[in-house]
């Protein structure tokens, strides 16, 4: 029965984390940094809960009743947090239309996630103590609990992602979890009280089983409706759904439909932003004499495809959209504009990741139009890298053109705005010998291998539009003369003089950093110095910092003793998170973003953790020197990190020569990296004999989570984008080397009595 | 006697003081123009009271005003943006938007950083929501502005992009010189300025486009951190002083799109300014901090224009809706199309000597000579 409780503990944690993360992404219209902050808030809350429980429980008897009360609190906190997240903005007086900055994301994440995260971490430490009481002969109760909890996490991740989210809303899932927790606790109490109906038993039945059941039937839908209405207060919400990839909402204002994805407007019909749509399409297609095959990546419905269809020479438009639910929503609320786009026989939608499409297609195109607005997160940034541009060049006809847009200005460029444009422009120049920029409030970049692009004039475009009998609302000859002025181009390029921005690469996605810095300037300008400082971080400086950290820890070790093991666990948590992100991100770069695949990759990592923890937990008593084994695990992790750099350096050739092998290699590497983390935790709890079980589990679990939190934050936001993948892995290897050195210097006296 | 607490406090604050001091020093060649419209509050604190705009900031020594464009340095208030524009461009006059001022002409457009409002939907936030201390600026004295405008064959100099009230002294000096050279001075403003400086400015202004952001105090408080009443006073004063006036109203869904509010605004315009003040109703797109919102439906913009015309205003336009009939000018007499526009482009112009070519009715504006 206790094993079932532990499985449900793991399941509950991943369900809560996944659902709350999705709600927060909608609330914050999240980019990479806000995503990292939200995850960090969860992890820190868990770490705090685990640590506090460790200290609090060591002088108490942890029994089923205590565990039940803690579970009750966790079960109650979860749906309350869902509601609080949705109504956060009206609750604190922020108008729904206003975006929030990083400082708001930070305090909102922590204040909203603290109760649920704290209680889940609290439960973990309690579970270890409970297990130790139930199984006094177990050599590594924490290891066993870690193993079962991880299994529960794997099962929960699969269940919530594949079964729950597509069919149930968050409150239904939340109350379902309450019910499940309730049933487990009742059974746990029944076993411990041998079937006697104590007051606690009866109260638990009422609170955990009857109330959630009633809530599921009567209240969940009402709560969902009320909370969603508060999110879109004052607006006519006609559609609200969660797909695998995102939240989609549709607002109707008079005769206009606006389709929001994760809280941001994406498509407006029947009249889109005419200036943006017409310039994007006609400034590119009218450059070509007879455009026949067009590819739209990442968007197009809602105006752009309609404009492209005006050209009589167009025979085929391939439209790549990752999320079929988006087109389903657009079809549900059709207007003449979208109907003309989506029912035209020349338009072929493809529901897959754009990078995957351009890698796999054998077609060749006259024009490839990238409809992704900017590199605002790692997913979107993949379309703005040098490697992606090289893939696009491969699928262009001779004389074909590639078009993309970036944020711009006709008045002034801040350093942040300059950096985004310079970064992508450098990558573009590395692939396409000819570029033409049309500066504006949105900059339009045209790129080609053909010298014809350098001959573009307003007269040429005007004549081509006339010859093709293409009529527009905006594109007059005077407008073309104004927009294609050499003076404006000269000014644009002069603003980019001496801008020290890194070119945007797959394995050094600097575009994300610059975009986040630009968005931060809008929403939290007081943090600008932090971003300015971050850009000065180089690999030698990062190594020096790690060195400094090592000496500080060394001094702390002399003062307090026994910090080498928590430090090792924290750095392993950090390394594990960095390696996991590296492998998942690398997979996406190669294969594209596919929801099912991502879930499989995360499962492989978690399975590795589970395998490692149970392997050690089951055999700990046999080894004479668990300490030597711990050291060996540290060394193996360092070597593994170095092996990864070699794998990534061979990635391109492996993709071409052994694609299937590479696919399985990713899974294997994730599984292997999970094993190291899974092994170290139970080893550490077994070695760390100086404190009670509750306290040492609390300390080590907190260290593990803290390391993971820091690793996630630094890797996604700072190390990847600015240092690149290889430097990040080398830095991680160096950090683990420092941790190993510290362990060796402190020796056994620093760990075991 | 220095105790440990005092010692630690001094050590901790010293680097911070050094940092402020470094930023406090005027840069070589800039930030040396004393502001107008303020009074010194004297020792010991050396504060100043600025009276340029209705905020009437009391600025302590070493601090910036709310607009971030004025700084008190030892009891003297400096106009930081004087002769240091961060944006210098040549734009079609229609972009400002001025539809009744020298159609198809170029306007030499300048701005220094800063603004005395905090609009959540600002298009030029990169330079309006910062100080001239934070932007990369050109050194362009007033004479150089006028010469550059002449050399570029611009018929006007537009003080625009940010809030020109905050580089008042610069604008005034440029306007004085421009007047001598026969170049029009255009002012695109939020209208949040006190009467006295406004009246002085009117002596040199030829045209003004005022952003009447909404017709309720609630809107101004919620989305701009400002007040409506001073803006209305500014509009009336400009009209009384003979400055050519056009009004822009950016319609934001759910905020200022109420037909009743729009009708009240149009009635106020007709009653206080007359029927010949052009009004531009612009379509809003998500911008700056207002990103979680749908764009304005075109039907809302067209309805606002209808309300304006039914109220009796002669010239009501739609903005950011290319291809809309509302972009063009129609004779209030014979109702014929007299200026056809698409975006910022003028495709035909039937206004001759300020009159409709078809029926001879007077068309108010500052037309080409």
């Amino acid at each position: 029965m206790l094993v079932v409780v532990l499985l449900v503990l793991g399941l509950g944690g991943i369900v809560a984390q996944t659902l709350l993360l999705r709600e927060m992404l909608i609330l914050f219209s999240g980019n990479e940094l806000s995503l990292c902050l939200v995850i960090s808030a969860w992890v820190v809350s868990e770490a705090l809960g685990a640590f506090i429980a460790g200290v609090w429980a060591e002088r108490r008897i942890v029994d089923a009743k205590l565990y039940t009360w803690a579970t009750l609190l966790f079960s109650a906190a979860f749906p309350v947090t869902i509601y609080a997240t949705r109504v956060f903005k009206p609750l604190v007086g922020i108008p729904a239309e206003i975006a929030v900055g990083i400082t708001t994301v930070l305090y909102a994440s922590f204040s909203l996630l603290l109760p649920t995260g704290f209680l889940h971490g609290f439960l973990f430490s309690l579970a270890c103590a409970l297990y130790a009481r139930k199984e006094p002969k177990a050599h590594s109760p924490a290891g066993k609990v870690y193993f079962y909890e991880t299994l529960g996490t794997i099962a929960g991740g699969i269940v919530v992602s594949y079964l729950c989210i597509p069919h149930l809303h968050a409150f239904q899932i939340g109350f379902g979890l309450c019910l499940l927790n309730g049933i487990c606790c009742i059974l746990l109490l029944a076993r411990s009280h041998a079937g006697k109906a104590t007051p606690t038993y009866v109260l638990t039945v009422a609170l955990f089983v009857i109330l959630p059941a009633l809530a599921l039937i009567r209240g969940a839908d009402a709560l969902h409706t009320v909370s969603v209405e508060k999110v879109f207060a004052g607006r006519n919400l006609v559609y609200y759904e969660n797909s695998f990839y995102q939240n989609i909402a549709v607002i109707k204002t008079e005769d206009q439909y606006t389709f929001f994805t994760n809280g941001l407007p994406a498509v407006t019909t029947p009249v889109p932003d005419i200036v943006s749509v017409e310039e994007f399409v006609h400034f590119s297609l009218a450059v070509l004499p007879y455009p026949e095959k067009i590819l739209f990546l990442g968007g197009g419905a809602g105006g752009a495809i309609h404009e492209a269809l005006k050209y009589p020479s167009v025979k085929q438009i391939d439209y790549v959209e990752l999320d079929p639910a988006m087109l389903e929503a657009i079809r549900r609320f059709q207007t003449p504009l979208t109907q003309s786009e989506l029912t035209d026989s020349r338009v072929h939608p493809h529901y897959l990741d754009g990078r995957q499409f351009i890698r796999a297609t054998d077609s060749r195109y006259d024009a490839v139009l990238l409809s992704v607005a900017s590199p605002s997160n790692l997913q979107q940034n993949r379309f703005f890298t040098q490697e992606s541009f090289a893939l696009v060049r491969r699928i262009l006809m001779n004389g074909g053109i590639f078009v993309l847009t970036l944020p711009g200005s006709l008045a002034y460029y801040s350093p942040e705005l300059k950096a985004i444009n310079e970064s992508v422009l450098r990558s573009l120049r590395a692939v396409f010998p000819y570029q033409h920029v049309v500066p504006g409030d949105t900059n339009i970049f045209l790129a080609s291998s053909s010298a014809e692009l350098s001959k573009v004039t307003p007269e040429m475009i005007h004549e081509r539009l006339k010859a093709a009998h293409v009529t527009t609302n905006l594109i007059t000859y005077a407008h073309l003369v104004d927009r294609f002025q050499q003076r404006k181009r000269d000014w644009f390029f002069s603003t980019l003089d001496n801008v020290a921005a890194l070119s945007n690469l797959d394995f050094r996605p600097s575009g994300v950093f610059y975009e986040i810095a630009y968005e931060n300037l809008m929403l939290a300008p007081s943090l600008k110095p932090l971003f300015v400082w971050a850009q000065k971080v180089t690999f030698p400086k990062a190594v020096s910092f790690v060195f400094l950290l090592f000496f500080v820890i060394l001094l702390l070790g002399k003062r307090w003793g026994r910090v080498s093991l928590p430090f090792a666990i924290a750095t392993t948590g950090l390394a594990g998170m960095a390696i996991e992100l590296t492998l998942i991100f690398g997979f996406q770069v190669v294969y594209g973003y596919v929801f099912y695949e991502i879930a499989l990759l995360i499962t492989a990592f978690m399975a590795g953790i589970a395998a490692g923890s149970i392997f050690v937990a089951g055999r700990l008593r046999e080894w004479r020197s668990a300490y030597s084994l711990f050291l060996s695990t540290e060394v193996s992790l360092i070597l593994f990190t170095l092996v990864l750099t070699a794998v990534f350096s061979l990635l391109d050739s492996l993709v071409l020569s052994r694609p299937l092998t590479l696919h399985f290699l990713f899974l294997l590497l994730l599984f292997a990296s999970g094993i190291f983390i899974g092994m170290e935790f139970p080893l550490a709890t077994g070695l760390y004999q100086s404190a009670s079980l509750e306290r040492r589990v609390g300390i080590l679990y907190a260290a593990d989570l803290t390391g993971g939190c820091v690793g996630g934050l630094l890797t996604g936001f700072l190390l990847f984008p600015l240092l690149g993948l290889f430097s990040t892995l080398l830095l991680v290897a160096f950090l683990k080397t420092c941790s190993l050195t510290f362990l060796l210097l402190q020796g056994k006296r620093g760990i075991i009595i | 006697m220095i105790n440990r607490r005092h010692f630690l406090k001094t050590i901790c604050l010293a680097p911070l003081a050094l940092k402020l001091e470094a930023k406090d020093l005027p840069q070589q060649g800039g930030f040396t123009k004393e502001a107008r419209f303020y009074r010194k509050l004297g020792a010991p604190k050396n504060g100043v009271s600025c009276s340029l705009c209705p905020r009437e900031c009391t600025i302590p020594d070493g601090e910036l005003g709310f607009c971030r464009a004025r700084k008190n340095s030892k009891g003297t208030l400096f106009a930081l943006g004087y002769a240091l524009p961060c944006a210098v461009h040549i734009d079609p006059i229609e972009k400002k938007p001025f539809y009744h001022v020298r159609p198809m002409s170029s306007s030499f457009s300048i701005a220094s950083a800063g603004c005395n409002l905090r609009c959540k939907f600002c298009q030029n936030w990169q330079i309006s929501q910062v100080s001239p201390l934070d932007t990369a600026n050109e050194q362009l004295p007033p004479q150089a502005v006028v010469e550059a405008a002449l050399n570029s064959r611009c018929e006007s100099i537009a003080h625009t992009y940010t809030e020109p009230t905050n580089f008042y002294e610069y604008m005034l000096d440029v306007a004085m010189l421009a007047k001598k050279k026969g170049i029009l001075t255009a002012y695109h403003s939020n209208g949040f300025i006190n009467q006295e400086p406004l009246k002085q400015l009117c002596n040199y202004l030829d045209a003004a486009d005022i952003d009447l952001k909404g017709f309720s105090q609630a809107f101004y408080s919620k989305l701009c951190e400002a007040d409506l009443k001073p803006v209305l006073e500014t509009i009336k004063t400009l009209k009384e002083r003979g400055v050519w006036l056009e009004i822009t109203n950016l319609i934001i869904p759910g905020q200022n799109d109420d037909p009743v509010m729009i009708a009240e605004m149009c009635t106020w315009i007709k009653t206080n300014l007359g029927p010949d003040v052009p009004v531009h109703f612009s379509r809003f797109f998500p911008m700056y901090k207002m990103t979680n919102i749908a764009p304005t439906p075109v039907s809302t913009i067209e309805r606002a224009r209808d309300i304006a015309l039914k109220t009796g205003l002669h010239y009501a336009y739609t903005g950011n809706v290319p291809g809309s009939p509302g972009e063009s000018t129609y004779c209030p007499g014979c109702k014929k199309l007299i200026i056809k526009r698409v975006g910022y482009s003028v495709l035909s112009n039937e206004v001759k000597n300020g009159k409709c070519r078809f029926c001879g009715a007077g068309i108010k504006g500052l037309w080409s000579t």
Side-chain angles (χ1 to χ4, degrees):
Chain A
M1 190 55 232
L2 190 56
V3 169
V4 172
V5 167
L6 297 176
L7 288 172
V8 171
L9 175 66
L11 184 147
I14 193 66
V15 166
Q17 188 183 340
T18 304
L19 288 182
L20 291 173
L21 183 67
R22 288 182 74 118
E23 293 293 331
M24 291 206 160
L25 279 179
I26 301 166
L27 174 67
F28 302 136
S29 307
N31 58 25
E32 220 65 39
L33 181 56
S34 53
L35 190 68
C36 289
L37 285 173
V38 170
I39 294 173
S40 303
W42 175 268
V43 169
V44 166
S45 302
E46 278 224 55
L48 201 60
F51 178 74
I52 300 276
V55 173
W56 182 81
E58 68 178 338
R59 289 193 185 83
R60 286 170 175 81
I61 296 171
V62 178
D63 59 7
K65 203 161 55 171
L66 185 63
Y67 190 86
T68 298
W69 286 118
T71 306
L72 165 71
L73 287 172
F74 170 73
S75 296
F78 178 38
V80 168
T81 306
I82 296 172
Y83 188 83
T85 304
R86 288 189 182 176
V87 305
F88 177 77
K89 273 186 174 175
L91 205 62
V92 300
I94 299 173
E97 304 83 9
I98 307 294
V100 295
I102 288 300
T103 39
T104 307
V105 171
L106 197 63
Y107 81 68
S109 307
F110 277 93
S111 55
L112 288 167
L113 295 178
L114 187 63
T116 316
F118 180 92
L119 285 164
H120 191 260
F122 198 86
L123 280 170
F124 178 83
S125 293
L126 287 190
C128 291
L130 194 64
Y131 191 91
R133 272 192 79 208
K134 297 281 183 190
E135 306 281 338
K137 291 182 183 168
H139 266 252
S140 177
K144 289 268 174 63
V145 170
Y146 200 64
F147 168 69
Y148 291 122
E149 200 240 359
T150 304
L151 280 187
T153 302
I154 295 170
I158 293 168
V159 164
V160 76
S161 301
Y162 291 93
L163 296 179
C164 295
I165 286 173
H167 305 294
L168 303 171
H169 57 70
F171 285 103
Q172 287 172 327
I173 301 170
F175 286 122
L177 183 64
C178 289
L179 197 59
L180 185 62
N181 275 330
I183 293 169
C184 287
C185 285
I186 287 164
L187 292 173
L188 185 69
L189 281 171
R191 284 289 183 95
S192 62
H193 288 280
K196 289 177 192 165
T198 65
T200 309
Y201 187 86
V202 172
L203 189 62
T204 308
V205 171
L207 282 171
F208 273 107
V209 181
I210 298 170
L211 277 180
L214 284 174
L216 265 174
I217 297 163
R218 304 290 295 267
D221 284 344
L223 267 176
H224 173 72
T225 305
V226 163
S227 59
V228 167
E229 279 171 3
K230 282 191 188 297
V231 172
F232 293 94
R235 295 179 277 182
N236 184 12
L237 178 71
V238 297
Y239 184 81
Y240 185 93
E241 286 295 328
N242 284 310
S243 72
F244 280 124
Y245 299 99
Q246 60 197 344
N247 169 263
I248 300 171
V250 182
I251 300 287
K252 185 168 193 257
T253 318
E254 297 187 19
D255 60 338
Q256 174 179 281
Y257 292 103
T258 304
F259 299 82
F260 287 72
T261 54
N262 289 340
L264 290 175
V267 173
T268 297
T269 66
V271 184
D273 181 350
I274 295 170
V275 175
S276 298
V277 162
E278 288 194 1
E279 289 189 347
F280 176 56
V281 174
H282 299 301
F283 284 2
S284 48
L285 295 191
V287 165
L288 301 165
Y290 296 105
E292 290 187 350
K293 279 182 80 173
I294 316 294
L295 172 64
F296 279 93
L297 287 176
I305 292 178
H306 174 78
E307 293 301 317
L309 287 169
K310 288 179 179 176
Y311 290 79
S313 59
V314 166
K315 292 194 171 75
Q316 179 181 328
I317 294 179
D318 284 330
Y319 168 35
V320 181
E321 166 66 60
L322 178 65
D323 190 358
M326 183 64 178
L327 279 192
E328 193 187 302
I330 290 175
R331 285 194 181 98
R332 187 188 277 225
F333 300 98
Q334 290 232 69
T335 59
L337 175 78
T338 49
Q339 191 169 19
S340 70
E341 289 175 324
L342 300 178
T343 56
D344 195 299
S345 58
R346 292 172 286 173
V347 178
H348 307 284
H350 303 267
Y351 302 115
L352 75 168
D353 177 69
R355 275 286 292 255
Q356 201 180 15
F357 182 89
I358 59 179
R359 186 183 280 280
T361 187
D362 292 323
S363 294
R364 293 291 176 268
Y365 296 94
D366 295 294
V368 176
L369 286 82
L370 178 62
S371 301
V372 178
S374 63
S376 59
N377 54 49
L378 286 171
Q379 296 307 323
Q380 290 182 335
N381 185 76
R382 293 176 308 126
F383 294 98
F384 292 90
T385 65
Q386 192 169 311
E387 294 86 347
S388 180
F389 296 158
L391 290 173
V392 169
R393 184 176 172 177
R394 186 184 67 83
I395 63 171
L396 282 173
M397 303 273 214
N398 287 335
I401 57 162
F402 173 50
V403 192
L404 62 90
T405 61
L406 286 174
S409 175
L410 286 172
Y412 180 84
Y413 276 73
S414 59
E416 291 77 7
L417 188 57
K418 288 181 193 180
I420 298 169
N421 281 272
E422 176 64 18
S423 175
V424 173
L425 193 54
R426 283 190 187 201
S427 300
L428 206 59
R429 279 179 176 144
V431 174
F432 292 98
Y434 302 97
Q435 314 93 35
H436 191 102
V437 182
V438 184
D441 290 325
T442 300
N443 290 333
I444 301 174
F445 293 81
L446 311 175
S448 178
S449 306
S450 164
E452 290 301 308
L453 189 62
S454 56
K455 299 174 190 169
V456 169
T457 61
E459 290 77 19
M460 179 220 277
I461 294 177
H462 182 65
E463 288 307 314
R464 291 225 168 117
L465 286 171
K466 246 173 56 174
H469 303 289
V470 171
T471 56
T472 67
N473 289 298
L474 175 70
I475 317 290
T476 61
Y477 177 67
H479 181 79
L480 288 166
V481 168
D482 177 62
R483 294 290 281 117
F484 279 79
Q485 283 183 65
Q486 184 62 43
R487 174 166 52 83
K488 286 184 175 164
R489 278 206 300 285
D490 290 342
W491 175 74
F492 170 75
F493 285 113
S494 71
T495 65
L496 297 188
D497 274 345
N498 303 316
V499 173
L502 301 168
S503 54
N504 199 20
L505 306 173
D506 275 349
F507 291 140
R508 193 191 60 208
S510 51
V512 180
F513 179 86
Y514 297 133
E515 176 72 28
I516 292 174
Y518 178 63
E519 287 174 20
N520 177 75
L521 196 63
M522 258 188 263
L523 302 172
S526 57
L527 293 180
K528 177 175 169 166
L530 177 67
F531 286 84
V532 171
W533 168 84
Q535 287 181 70
K536 294 177 186 159
V537 171
T538 58
F539 183 67
K541 284 181 186 170
V543 168
S544 307
F545 175 78
V546 171
F547 220 52
L548 186 67
L549 180 68
F550 169 59
F551 277 113
V552 166
I553 299 292
L554 207 59
L555 288 171
L556 286 174
K558 282 188 187 309
R559 173 76 175 84
W560 287 322
R562 290 187 294 279
V563 293
S564 58
L565 211 51
F567 182 64
I569 291 294
T571 53
T572 297
L574 188 153
M577 182 62 85
I579 291 169
E580 185 191 4
L581 284 175
T582 303
L583 285 166
I584 290 174
F585 183 63
F587 184 90
Q588 287 177 49
V589 163
V590 173
Y591 294 106
Y593 179 75
V594 182
F595 184 82
Y596 297 96
E597 301 267 19
I598 301 303
L600 202 61
L601 293 170
I602 294 172
T603 303
F605 181 72
M606 301 300 290
I609 293 178
S613 60
I614 200 63
F615 179 74
V616 164
R619 286 166 175 73
L620 202 54
R621 75 188 83 156
E622 296 171 4
W623 289 303
R624 289 184 194 133
S625 179
Y627 176 66
S628 300
L629 180 61
F630 192 90
L631 292 179
S632 304
T633 314
E634 288 274 288
V635 171
S636 304
L637 186 52
I638 295 165
L639 293 173
F640 178 79
T641 310
L642 295 172
V643 162
L644 271 185
T645 59
V647 167
F648 276 104
S649 63
L650 296 170
L651 207 57
D652 273 342
S653 53
L654 282 171
V655 166
L656 293 170
S657 60
R658 301 216 186 285
L660 203 59
T661 306
L662 183 62
H663 207 122
F664 283 110
L665 185 61
F666 271 106
L667 291 169
L668 192 63
L669 288 169
L670 277 162
F671 182 77
S673 60
I675 285 177
F676 296 118
I677 293 153
M679 282 177 69
E680 283 210 357
F681 186 81
L683 271 176
T685 54
L687 284 169
Y688 209 48
Q689 295 289 338
S690 61
S692 63
L693 171 71
E694 294 84 358
R695 184 185 281 259
R696 67 177 184 261
V697 162
I699 291 171
L700 292 174
Y701 195 54
D704 179 36
L705 291 174
T706 304
C709 160
V710 170
L713 195 63
L714 286 180
T715 306
F717 163 61
L718 186 68
L719 298 179
F720 261 167
L722 297 179
L723 297 189
L725 185 143
F726 294 101
S727 294
T728 301
L729 288 173
L730 288 175
L731 194 65
V732 165
F734 180 64
L735 179 67
K736 285 310 298 174
T737 307
C738 288
S739 131
L740 174 65
T741 308
F742 189 34
L743 275 169
L744 291 169
L745 286 173
Q746 280 228 313
K748 289 183 188 179
R749 62 178 168 80
I751 300 170
I752 309 166
I753 291 178
Chain B
M1 183 180 161
I2 295 176
N3 61 23
R4 184 161 63 176
R5 178 185 279 188
H6 179 79
F7 175 75
L8 284 170
K9 190 174 161 189
T10 308
I11 291 293
C12 291
L13 290 177
L16 190 63
L18 279 171
K19 187 175 187 302
L20 280 174
E21 194 58 43
K23 203 177 175 187
D24 216 20
L25 293 172
Q27 292 179 12
Q28 191 176 6
F31 310 133
T32 55
K33 177 72 174 182
E34 186 174 356
R36 300 174 66 164
F37 301 103
Y38 81 101
R39 64 187 173 85
K40 302 187 184 196
L41 300 176
K45 290 185 179 176
N46 284 328
V48 299
S49 174
C50 178
S51 55
L52 179 60
C53 84
R55 290 208 187 270
E56 310 257 337
C57 295
T58 300
I59 307 172
D61 185 16
E63 299 289 324
L64 298 173
F66 184 91
C67 63
R68 303 186 182 106
R70 266 135 223 283
K71 188 180 172 92
N72 177 359
S73 182
K74 297 180 176 48
T76 301
L77 189 63
F78 288 96
L80 297 178
Y82 189 90
L84 292 170
C86 54
V88 180
H89 301 285
I90 297 170
D91 291 330
I93 190 83
E94 284 81 9
K95 191 181 171 191
K96 303 293 115 183
F98 282 108
Y99 277 14
H100 287 232
V101 178
R102 305 279 173 93
M104 297 175 68
S105 68
S106 296
S107 187
F108 194 84
S109 305
I110 59 173
S112 296
C115 184
N116 56 2
L117 260 57
R118 295 284 185 266
C119 301
K120 306 274 189 294
F121 44 86
C122 183
Q123 186 178 6
N124 287 315
W125 59 271
Q126 286 188 90
I127 48 178
S128 72
Q129 301 303 304
V130 294
S131 164
L133 295 167
D134 301 317
T135 51
N137 307 315
E138 291 188 44
Q139 293 201 19
L140 204 65
Q143 184 62 42
V145 173
V146 176
E147 280 169 12
L150 284 169
N151 292 339
S152 313
R153 297 190 188 157
C154 293
E155 294 186 38
S156 59
I157 294 171
H159 302 273
T160 178
Y161 303 129
T162 58
E163 173 47 46
T165 300
N166 301 122
F167 52 95
Y168 178 89
E169 296 79 5
Y170 186 34
M171 173 173 53
L172 189 65
D173 287 353
V174 170
M176 284 185 201
L177 292 171
K179 200 172 183 78
K180 292 176 187 168
K181 296 290 183 180
I183 301 177
L184 298 180
T185 293
Y187 172 65
H188 184 178
S189 168
N190 58 32
F192 203 60
I193 182 173
N194 276 339
Q195 286 292 302
E196 195 192 334
L198 176 65
K199 284 171 181 167
Q200 286 193 31
L201 183 64
C202 284
N203 294 325
Y204 303 97
L205 269 188
D206 298 289
D209 187 315
I210 302 298
D211 285 326
L212 185 50
K213 298 183 192 275
F215 206 66
S216 75
Q217 178 54 42
F219 177 90
Y220 266 85
S221 299
K222 179 183 169 189
L223 293 182
C224 304
E225 295 183 39
D227 300 307
L228 169 63
K229 195 169 169 218
V231 178
L232 298 179
E233 293 301 317
T234 294
I235 290 172
K236 285 200 289 190
T237 299
L238 287 164
K239 181 70 179 167
E240 284 160 12
R241 297 269 161 154
V243 176
W244 174 255
L245 180 63
E246 300 194 24
I247 291 173
T248 300
N249 178 230
L250 179 70
I251 299 184
I252 303 173
Q255 307 300 323
N256 62 353
D257 59 347
D258 178 18
V260 172
M261 185 198 289
I262 292 172
E264 284 173 3
M265 181 179 77
C266 294
T267 303
W268 184 92
I269 291 172
K270 190 182 172 198
T271 305
N272 290 277
L273 310 173
D276 291 315
V277 171
V279 180
H280 303 262
F281 296 104
S282 291
R283 188 185 187 194
F284 165 83
F285 289 97
M287 182 65 63
Y288 187 32
K289 295 184 181 183
M290 284 194 85
T291 51
N292 301 19
I293 182 173
T296 318
V298 172
S299 52
T300 304
I301 303 295
E302 288 172 346
R303 185 177 58 236
R305 181 171 175 262
D306 285 344
I307 291 171
L309 292 172
K310 282 182 180 145
T311 306
L313 296 178
H314 289 163
Y315 310 108
Y317 298 104
T318 57
N320 293 338
V321 190
S324 163
E327 292 185 296
S328 299
T329 304
Y330 301 84
C331 174
C334 63
K335 310 296 181 200
K336 284 191 175 154
L337 173 68
I338 50 175
I339 303 179
K340 184 165 171 57
R341 295 185 192 84
V342 172
Y344 304 140
S345 310
V346 173
L347 303 185
S348 67
N349 184 356
E350 308 296 347
V351 176
K352 307 292 177 204
N353 300 318
K355 291 187 168 64
C356 168
R357 187 175 72 79
F358 301 109
C359 72
I363 310 296
K364 300 282 189 182
L366 297 180
W367 306 110
S368 301
T369 51

